[in-house]
Amino acid sequence: FFMSKNVVIKSNYLIEASYSFTLPEQRLILACLSKMDSRNKINKEVTITAQDYANIMGFDLNNSYRELQKAVNRLYEQSIIVS
């Protein structure tokens, strides 16, 4: 369960795109989206620390590092467009 009160409402496009992502990648994308405020201008860059990720996902810090490493390695060469 998620310990954070951050809310992400997924569009059908995001749901369909998520089928091509691993679970760690999906979690990282959702963690990033949860830090954005849709009422404000979209940031070009979002920073998620291992501690942020642990807090959002309810993981301990060691698991957070491992999970982030898995996701970042695969997402590094991909593009994600938020509109």
Side-chain angles (χ1 to χ4, degrees):
F1 71 96
F2 294 101
M3 307 247 338
S4 174
K5 292 186 182 191
N6 298 357
V7 175
V8 174
I9 298 172
K10 294 193 221 181
S11 71
N12 286 337
Y13 295 116
L14 181 57
I15 292 168
E16 289 174 18
S18 69
Y19 294 126
S20 65
F21 296 124
T22 64
L23 183 57
E25 292 169 334
Q26 289 180 43
R27 287 177 174 159
L28 178 55
I29 291 166
L30 291 175
C32 290
L33 291 173
S34 75
K35 291 188 76 174
M36 301 170 110
D37 186 345
S38 64
R39 297 168 294 186
N40 296 327
K41 182 180 165 189
I42 294 175
N43 298 329
K44 290 185 179 185
E45 196 172 295
V46 176
T47 301
I48 298 283
T49 65
Q51 186 64 60
D52 290 337
Y53 191 75
N55 292 341
I56 292 169
M57 295 297 161
F59 294 157
D60 66 51
L61 197 53
N62 287 333
N63 286 333
S64 179
Y65 278 110
R66 273 194 295 276
E67 183 102 353
L68 278 173
Q69 189 65 44
K70 288 178 194 175
V72 168
N73 286 339
R74 286 194 38 133
L75 287 174
Y76 182 73
E77 296 183 14
Q78 299 183 41
S79 296
I80 299 172
I81 299 169
V82 178
S83 59

